[in-house]
Amino acid sequence: MLEKSSKQPNSRSCFLCGRANSIGLKMSWYNDIKAQKVWSELVVPEQFNSYPGVVHGGVVAAILDETSGRALLLGDDDMLMVTARLELKYRRPTPTNQPITAVGWIVKGGNGRARVAGEIRLADGTVTAECQATVIKPPAGFFESRGWQEEKPFWKVYDD
């Protein structure tokens, strides 16, 4: 069982965590400092299926991409990087309309480049998908050119 040490910030518009995104998943992540992992519990609605009852593989990839990358936020809410490479293994279908847990951790840290990993688990612990990713510090000006300064006040911890 993963522990809730602290909650991570969310944004306003992100597909996965954005509180104001009407079609988003509105996920929340928690730090487990003791285990050095981050995690989120969610239920993916049927509207995000590929086949009936199965979460679309692209949505699974997005959940794993975000969750593994958020492992870098364990010690610093501003350690924002971008994915340079994402490797996925789909072990079995991830079901819609059922509780799942996404877990992420750091494989190898670094200031400009890191290796992170993640997995999606069913309530019984069965892993449905896993990933490893290489994330990098974006080039100078990346955030400024994409409106991050206007969005940054909304990058905060929200009440559930």
Short mmCIF file of all heavy atoms in Angstrom, two decimals, residues 89-143:
data_model
loop_
_atom_site.label_atom_id
_atom_site.label_comp_id
_atom_site.label_asym_id
_atom_site.label_seq_id
_atom_site.Cartn_x
_atom_site.Cartn_y
_atom_site.Cartn_z
N LYS A 89 5.16 -1.05 -22.49
CA LYS A 89 4.81 -2.47 -22.61
C LYS A 89 3.39 -2.61 -22.09
O LYS A 89 3.10 -2.33 -20.94
CB LYS A 89 5.76 -3.33 -21.77
CG LYS A 89 7.17 -3.38 -22.32
CD LYS A 89 8.04 -4.30 -21.50
CE LYS A 89 9.47 -4.26 -22.04
NZ LYS A 89 10.38 -5.02 -21.20
N TYR A 90 2.53 -3.04 -23.00
CA TYR A 90 1.14 -3.30 -22.62
C TYR A 90 1.05 -4.77 -22.22
O TYR A 90 1.25 -5.65 -23.06
CB TYR A 90 0.21 -2.99 -23.79
CG TYR A 90 0.23 -1.53 -24.20
CD1 TYR A 90 1.06 -1.09 -25.23
CD2 TYR A 90 -0.57 -0.60 -23.56
CE1 TYR A 90 1.07 0.24 -25.62
CE2 TYR A 90 -0.57 0.74 -23.93
CZ TYR A 90 0.26 1.15 -24.96
OH TYR A 90 0.28 2.46 -25.34
N ARG A 91 0.80 -5.04 -20.96
CA ARG A 91 0.77 -6.41 -20.44
C ARG A 91 -0.58 -7.08 -20.61
O ARG A 91 -0.68 -8.28 -20.84
CB ARG A 91 1.16 -6.42 -18.96
CG ARG A 91 2.55 -5.90 -18.69
CD ARG A 91 3.56 -6.89 -19.17
NE ARG A 91 4.91 -6.47 -18.85
CZ ARG A 91 5.98 -6.96 -19.40
NH1 ARG A 91 5.87 -7.89 -20.31
NH2 ARG A 91 7.16 -6.54 -19.07
N ARG A 92 -1.64 -6.30 -20.43
CA ARG A 92 -3.01 -6.78 -20.58
C ARG A 92 -3.92 -5.57 -20.70
O ARG A 92 -3.48 -4.47 -20.39
CB ARG A 92 -3.42 -7.66 -19.41
CG ARG A 92 -3.37 -6.98 -18.06
CD ARG A 92 -3.66 -7.91 -16.93
NE ARG A 92 -3.03 -9.17 -17.26
CZ ARG A 92 -3.17 -10.29 -16.63
NH1 ARG A 92 -3.90 -10.34 -15.59
NH2 ARG A 92 -2.56 -11.39 -16.99
N PRO A 93 -5.14 -5.73 -21.13
CA PRO A 93 -6.03 -4.57 -21.26
C PRO A 93 -6.22 -3.84 -19.92
O PRO A 93 -6.38 -4.47 -18.87
CB PRO A 93 -7.34 -5.18 -21.74
CG PRO A 93 -6.95 -6.47 -22.39
CD PRO A 93 -5.77 -6.97 -21.59
N THR A 94 -6.19 -2.52 -19.98
CA THR A 94 -6.52 -1.70 -18.82
C THR A 94 -8.01 -1.39 -18.91
O THR A 94 -8.46 -0.82 -19.91
CB THR A 94 -5.69 -0.39 -18.83
OG1 THR A 94 -4.30 -0.72 -18.79
CG2 THR A 94 -6.04 0.48 -17.64
N PRO A 95 -8.78 -1.78 -17.90
CA PRO A 95 -10.24 -1.63 -18.00
C PRO A 95 -10.73 -0.21 -17.74
O PRO A 95 -10.15 0.52 -16.94
CB PRO A 95 -10.75 -2.58 -16.91
CG PRO A 95 -9.65 -2.61 -15.90
CD PRO A 95 -8.37 -2.46 -16.69
N THR A 96 -11.79 0.17 -18.45
CA THR A 96 -12.49 1.41 -18.13
C THR A 96 -13.42 1.14 -16.95
O THR A 96 -13.72 -0.01 -16.62
CB THR A 96 -13.33 1.89 -19.34
OG1 THR A 96 -14.24 0.86 -19.71
CG2 THR A 96 -12.46 2.27 -20.52
N ASN A 97 -13.86 2.23 -16.32
CA ASN A 97 -14.86 2.18 -15.25
C ASN A 97 -14.48 1.28 -14.08
O ASN A 97 -15.36 0.75 -13.39
CB ASN A 97 -16.23 1.78 -15.80
CG ASN A 97 -16.77 2.82 -16.75
OD1 ASN A 97 -16.57 4.02 -16.56
ND2 ASN A 97 -17.43 2.37 -17.80
N GLN A 98 -13.18 1.09 -13.86
CA GLN A 98 -12.70 0.33 -12.70
C GLN A 98 -11.53 1.09 -12.07
O GLN A 98 -10.75 1.70 -12.79
CB GLN A 98 -12.22 -1.06 -13.11
CG GLN A 98 -13.32 -1.98 -13.55
CD GLN A 98 -12.78 -3.38 -13.83
OE1 GLN A 98 -11.82 -3.84 -13.24
NE2 GLN A 98 -13.41 -4.06 -14.78
N PRO A 99 -11.38 1.00 -10.76
CA PRO A 99 -10.26 1.70 -10.12
C PRO A 99 -8.92 1.13 -10.58
O PRO A 99 -8.73 -0.09 -10.65
CB PRO A 99 -10.45 1.42 -8.63
CG PRO A 99 -11.84 0.94 -8.47
CD PRO A 99 -12.23 0.32 -9.78
N ILE A 100 -8.01 2.04 -10.94
CA ILE A 100 -6.64 1.67 -11.27
C ILE A 100 -5.71 2.62 -10.51
O ILE A 100 -6.13 3.69 -10.07
CB ILE A 100 -6.34 1.73 -12.79
CG1 ILE A 100 -6.61 3.12 -13.35
CG2 ILE A 100 -7.13 0.66 -13.53
CD1 ILE A 100 -6.18 3.31 -14.81
N THR A 101 -4.47 2.22 -10.37
CA THR A 101 -3.47 3.06 -9.73
C THR A 101 -2.29 3.18 -10.68
O THR A 101 -1.78 2.18 -11.18
CB THR A 101 -2.99 2.44 -8.40
OG1 THR A 101 -4.12 2.26 -7.54
CG2 THR A 101 -1.97 3.35 -7.70
N ALA A 102 -1.88 4.43 -10.92
CA ALA A 102 -0.69 4.70 -11.71
C ALA A 102 0.44 5.06 -10.74
O ALA A 102 0.23 5.86 -9.82
CB ALA A 102 -0.94 5.86 -12.67
N VAL A 103 1.60 4.43 -10.91
CA VAL A 103 2.73 4.62 -10.01
C VAL A 103 3.95 5.00 -10.84
O VAL A 103 4.18 4.42 -11.90
CB VAL A 103 3.03 3.32 -9.22
CG1 VAL A 103 4.19 3.51 -8.25
CG2 VAL A 103 1.79 2.83 -8.49
N GLY A 104 4.73 5.96 -10.35
CA GLY A 104 5.94 6.37 -11.04
C GLY A 104 7.12 6.49 -10.10
O GLY A 104 6.95 6.75 -8.91
N TRP A 105 8.34 6.30 -10.63
CA TRP A 105 9.55 6.40 -9.82
C TRP A 105 10.74 6.79 -10.70
O TRP A 105 10.68 6.68 -11.93
CB TRP A 105 9.83 5.10 -9.07
CG TRP A 105 10.01 3.90 -9.95
CD1 TRP A 105 11.18 3.42 -10.46
CD2 TRP A 105 8.99 3.03 -10.45
NE1 TRP A 105 10.96 2.31 -11.24
CE2 TRP A 105 9.61 2.05 -11.25
CE3 TRP A 105 7.60 2.99 -10.31
CZ2 TRP A 105 8.90 1.04 -11.89
CZ3 TRP A 105 6.90 2.00 -10.96
CH2 TRP A 105 7.54 1.03 -11.72
N ILE A 106 11.79 7.24 -10.05
CA ILE A 106 13.01 7.63 -10.74
C ILE A 106 13.93 6.42 -10.83
O ILE A 106 14.19 5.76 -9.83
CB ILE A 106 13.73 8.78 -10.00
CG1 ILE A 106 12.83 10.02 -9.95
CG2 ILE A 106 15.07 9.11 -10.66
CD1 ILE A 106 13.35 11.12 -9.03
N VAL A 107 14.41 6.14 -12.03
CA VAL A 107 15.39 5.08 -12.23
C VAL A 107 16.80 5.65 -12.06
O VAL A 107 17.64 5.09 -11.37
CB VAL A 107 15.23 4.44 -13.63
CG1 VAL A 107 16.33 3.42 -13.90
CG2 VAL A 107 13.85 3.80 -13.76
N LYS A 108 17.03 6.81 -12.68
CA LYS A 108 18.32 7.49 -12.58
C LYS A 108 18.06 8.99 -12.69
O LYS A 108 17.52 9.45 -13.69
CB LYS A 108 19.27 7.02 -13.68
CG LYS A 108 20.65 7.64 -13.59
CD LYS A 108 21.56 7.11 -14.68
CE LYS A 108 22.94 7.75 -14.53
NZ LYS A 108 23.82 7.33 -15.62
N GLY A 109 18.41 9.73 -11.66
CA GLY A 109 18.16 11.17 -11.63
C GLY A 109 19.24 11.97 -12.32
O GLY A 109 20.28 11.45 -12.71
N GLY A 110 18.98 13.25 -12.44
CA GLY A 110 19.92 14.18 -13.02
C GLY A 110 19.27 15.53 -13.21
O GLY A 110 18.05 15.62 -13.25
N ASN A 111 20.06 16.58 -13.30
CA ASN A 111 19.50 17.93 -13.46
C ASN A 111 19.03 18.21 -14.88
O ASN A 111 18.04 18.89 -15.09
CB ASN A 111 20.52 18.98 -13.04
CG ASN A 111 20.67 19.03 -11.53
OD1 ASN A 111 19.75 18.68 -10.81
ND2 ASN A 111 21.82 19.45 -11.06
N GLY A 112 19.72 17.70 -15.88
CA GLY A 112 19.36 17.99 -17.26
C GLY A 112 18.73 16.83 -17.99
O GLY A 112 18.13 17.00 -19.04
N ARG A 113 18.85 15.63 -17.41
CA ARG A 113 18.35 14.41 -18.05
C ARG A 113 18.10 13.38 -16.96
O ARG A 113 18.88 13.28 -16.02
CB ARG A 113 19.41 13.91 -19.03
CG ARG A 113 19.11 12.64 -19.73
CD ARG A 113 20.34 12.24 -20.60
NE ARG A 113 19.95 11.43 -21.70
CZ ARG A 113 19.56 11.87 -22.89
NH1 ARG A 113 19.53 13.15 -23.14
NH2 ARG A 113 19.21 11.04 -23.83
N ALA A 114 17.05 12.62 -17.10
CA ALA A 114 16.75 11.59 -16.11
C ALA A 114 16.06 10.41 -16.80
O ALA A 114 15.52 10.53 -17.90
CB ALA A 114 15.86 12.14 -15.00
N ARG A 115 16.08 9.30 -16.11
CA ARG A 115 15.37 8.09 -16.56
C ARG A 115 14.32 7.80 -15.50
O ARG A 115 14.63 7.74 -14.30
CB ARG A 115 16.37 6.93 -16.68
CG ARG A 115 15.80 5.71 -17.31
CD ARG A 115 15.99 5.76 -18.82
NE ARG A 115 15.61 4.46 -19.37
CZ ARG A 115 14.91 4.34 -20.48
NH1 ARG A 115 14.56 5.38 -21.16
NH2 ARG A 115 14.59 3.15 -20.92
N VAL A 116 13.07 7.66 -15.94
CA VAL A 116 11.97 7.42 -15.03
C VAL A 116 11.17 6.20 -15.51
O VAL A 116 11.33 5.76 -16.65
CB VAL A 116 11.05 8.67 -14.91
CG1 VAL A 116 11.78 9.82 -14.24
CG2 VAL A 116 10.53 9.10 -16.28
N ALA A 117 10.33 5.68 -14.64
CA ALA A 117 9.54 4.50 -14.99
C ALA A 117 8.17 4.60 -14.32
O ALA A 117 7.97 5.38 -13.38
CB ALA A 117 10.25 3.22 -14.54
N GLY A 118 7.24 3.79 -14.82
CA GLY A 118 5.92 3.79 -14.23
C GLY A 118 5.15 2.54 -14.61
O GLY A 118 5.56 1.79 -15.51
N GLU A 119 4.04 2.33 -13.92
CA GLU A 119 3.17 1.21 -14.24
C GLU A 119 1.74 1.53 -13.82
O GLU A 119 1.51 2.40 -12.97
CB GLU A 119 3.65 -0.08 -13.59
CG GLU A 119 3.69 -0.06 -12.08
CD GLU A 119 4.36 -1.29 -11.48
OE1 GLU A 119 5.15 -1.96 -12.16
OE2 GLU A 119 4.08 -1.57 -10.30
N ILE A 120 0.82 0.84 -14.44
CA ILE A 120 -0.59 0.92 -14.08
C ILE A 120 -0.97 -0.41 -13.45
O ILE A 120 -0.67 -1.48 -14.01
CB ILE A 120 -1.48 1.23 -15.29
CG1 ILE A 120 -1.17 2.64 -15.81
CG2 ILE A 120 -2.96 1.10 -14.93
CD1 ILE A 120 -1.94 3.03 -17.05
N ARG A 121 -1.61 -0.32 -12.29
CA ARG A 121 -2.00 -1.53 -11.54
C ARG A 121 -3.51 -1.58 -11.34
O ARG A 121 -4.16 -0.56 -11.08
CB ARG A 121 -1.36 -1.51 -10.15
CG ARG A 121 0.14 -1.43 -10.14
CD ARG A 121 0.65 -1.29 -8.72
NE ARG A 121 2.09 -1.08 -8.69
CZ ARG A 121 2.75 -0.68 -7.61
NH1 ARG A 121 2.09 -0.43 -6.48
NH2 ARG A 121 4.05 -0.51 -7.66
N LEU A 122 -4.03 -2.77 -11.41
CA LEU A 122 -5.43 -3.00 -11.02
C LEU A 122 -5.52 -3.06 -9.50
O LEU A 122 -4.49 -3.12 -8.81
CB LEU A 122 -5.93 -4.31 -11.62
CG LEU A 122 -5.90 -4.42 -13.15
CD1 LEU A 122 -6.37 -5.80 -13.59
CD2 LEU A 122 -6.72 -3.33 -13.79
N ALA A 123 -6.73 -3.10 -8.98
CA ALA A 123 -6.93 -3.12 -7.53
C ALA A 123 -6.24 -4.32 -6.87
O ALA A 123 -5.78 -4.24 -5.74
CB ALA A 123 -8.44 -3.13 -7.21
N ASP A 124 -6.12 -5.44 -7.59
CA ASP A 124 -5.47 -6.63 -7.02
C ASP A 124 -3.95 -6.62 -7.19
O ASP A 124 -3.27 -7.58 -6.85
CB ASP A 124 -6.07 -7.91 -7.60
CG ASP A 124 -5.75 -8.12 -9.08
OD1 ASP A 124 -5.04 -7.28 -9.69
OD2 ASP A 124 -6.24 -9.12 -9.64
N GLY A 125 -3.41 -5.53 -7.76
CA GLY A 125 -1.96 -5.42 -7.95
C GLY A 125 -1.46 -5.85 -9.32
O GLY A 125 -0.29 -5.66 -9.65
N THR A 126 -2.32 -6.44 -10.14
CA THR A 126 -1.92 -6.86 -11.48
C THR A 126 -1.48 -5.65 -12.30
O THR A 126 -2.19 -4.63 -12.33
CB THR A 126 -3.09 -7.55 -12.20
OG1 THR A 126 -3.50 -8.69 -11.43
CG2 THR A 126 -2.72 -7.98 -13.61
N VAL A 127 -0.33 -5.74 -12.95
CA VAL A 127 0.18 -4.66 -13.79
C VAL A 127 -0.40 -4.83 -15.20
O VAL A 127 -0.24 -5.88 -15.82
CB VAL A 127 1.72 -4.66 -13.83
CG1 VAL A 127 2.26 -3.63 -14.81
CG2 VAL A 127 2.29 -4.41 -12.43
N THR A 128 -1.05 -3.78 -15.70
CA THR A 128 -1.61 -3.83 -17.04
C THR A 128 -0.69 -3.21 -18.08
O THR A 128 -0.73 -3.58 -19.25
CB THR A 128 -2.98 -3.13 -17.12
OG1 THR A 128 -2.81 -1.73 -16.84
CG2 THR A 128 -3.96 -3.74 -16.14
N ALA A 129 0.12 -2.24 -17.67
CA ALA A 129 1.04 -1.57 -18.59
C ALA A 129 2.18 -0.96 -17.79
O ALA A 129 2.02 -0.64 -16.61
CB ALA A 129 0.31 -0.48 -19.38
N GLU A 130 3.33 -0.84 -18.46
CA GLU A 130 4.49 -0.24 -17.79
C GLU A 130 5.29 0.56 -18.80
O GLU A 130 5.15 0.37 -20.01
CB GLU A 130 5.36 -1.31 -17.15
CG GLU A 130 5.87 -2.36 -18.11
CD GLU A 130 6.51 -3.56 -17.41
OE1 GLU A 130 6.31 -3.74 -16.21
OE2 GLU A 130 7.21 -4.30 -18.10
N CYS A 131 6.09 1.46 -18.28
CA CYS A 131 6.91 2.29 -19.17
C CYS A 131 8.26 2.59 -18.55
O CYS A 131 8.44 2.48 -17.34
CB CYS A 131 6.20 3.61 -19.49
SG CYS A 131 6.31 4.85 -18.20
N GLN A 132 9.17 2.97 -19.41
CA GLN A 132 10.42 3.61 -19.03
C GLN A 132 10.53 4.81 -19.96
O GLN A 132 10.14 4.74 -21.12
CB GLN A 132 11.62 2.69 -19.19
CG GLN A 132 11.66 1.65 -18.09
CD GLN A 132 13.07 1.33 -17.64
OE1 GLN A 132 14.06 1.94 -18.05
NE2 GLN A 132 13.17 0.36 -16.76
N ALA A 133 11.03 5.91 -19.43
CA ALA A 133 11.13 7.13 -20.23
C ALA A 133 12.42 7.86 -19.94
O ALA A 133 12.94 7.81 -18.82
CB ALA A 133 9.94 8.04 -19.94
N THR A 134 12.90 8.53 -20.95
CA THR A 134 14.00 9.48 -20.79
C THR A 134 13.38 10.86 -20.85
O THR A 134 12.64 11.17 -21.81
CB THR A 134 15.04 9.32 -21.92
OG1 THR A 134 15.54 7.97 -21.87
CG2 THR A 134 16.18 10.31 -21.76
N VAL A 135 13.63 11.65 -19.84
CA VAL A 135 13.12 13.01 -19.80
C VAL A 135 14.29 13.97 -19.75
O VAL A 135 15.35 13.65 -19.20
CB VAL A 135 12.15 13.23 -18.61
CG1 VAL A 135 10.88 12.41 -18.79
CG2 VAL A 135 12.81 12.87 -17.29
N ILE A 136 14.10 15.14 -20.36
CA ILE A 136 15.19 16.11 -20.44
C ILE A 136 14.69 17.50 -20.05
O ILE A 136 13.49 17.79 -20.15
CB ILE A 136 15.80 16.17 -21.86
CG1 ILE A 136 14.72 16.52 -22.89
CG2 ILE A 136 16.49 14.85 -22.21
CD1 ILE A 136 15.25 16.76 -24.30
N LYS A 137 15.63 18.31 -19.62
CA LYS A 137 15.32 19.71 -19.35
C LYS A 137 15.08 20.37 -20.71
O LYS A 137 15.90 20.23 -21.62
CB LYS A 137 16.49 20.37 -18.62
CG LYS A 137 16.23 21.78 -18.22
CD LYS A 137 17.39 22.34 -17.42
CE LYS A 137 17.10 23.77 -17.03
NZ LYS A 137 18.20 24.32 -16.25
N PRO A 138 13.98 21.09 -20.86
CA PRO A 138 13.71 21.71 -22.15
C PRO A 138 14.68 22.86 -22.44
O PRO A 138 15.28 23.42 -21.52
CB PRO A 138 12.27 22.23 -22.01
CG PRO A 138 11.99 22.28 -20.57
CD PRO A 138 12.91 21.31 -19.89
N PRO A 139 14.81 23.22 -23.70
CA PRO A 139 15.73 24.30 -24.05
C PRO A 139 15.29 25.64 -23.45
O PRO A 139 14.10 25.82 -23.14
CB PRO A 139 15.68 24.34 -25.58
CG PRO A 139 14.47 23.59 -25.98
CD PRO A 139 14.13 22.66 -24.86
N ALA A 140 16.23 26.56 -23.33
CA ALA A 140 15.94 27.89 -22.81
C ALA A 140 14.79 28.51 -23.59
O ALA A 140 14.71 28.39 -24.81
CB ALA A 140 17.18 28.77 -22.89
N GLY A 141 13.88 29.13 -22.89
CA GLY A 141 12.75 29.80 -23.53
C GLY A 141 11.56 28.91 -23.80
O GLY A 141 10.51 29.40 -24.23
N PHE A 142 11.68 27.61 -23.57
CA PHE A 142 10.60 26.67 -23.87
C PHE A 142 9.31 27.05 -23.16
O PHE A 142 8.25 27.16 -23.77
CB PHE A 142 11.01 25.25 -23.47
CG PHE A 142 9.93 24.22 -23.64
CD1 PHE A 142 9.72 23.62 -24.86
CD2 PHE A 142 9.13 23.85 -22.56
CE1 PHE A 142 8.72 22.67 -25.02
CE2 PHE A 142 8.13 22.91 -22.72
CZ PHE A 142 7.92 22.32 -23.95
N PHE A 143 9.38 27.26 -21.85
CA PHE A 143 8.17 27.55 -21.09
C PHE A 143 7.61 28.93 -21.42
O PHE A 143 6.40 29.11 -21.51
CB PHE A 143 8.43 27.41 -19.59
CG PHE A 143 8.67 25.99 -19.18
CD1 PHE A 143 9.91 25.58 -18.72
CD2 PHE A 143 7.66 25.05 -19.25
CE1 PHE A 143 10.14 24.26 -18.35
CE2 PHE A 143 7.87 23.73 -18.88
CZ PHE A 143 9.11 23.34 -18.44
#
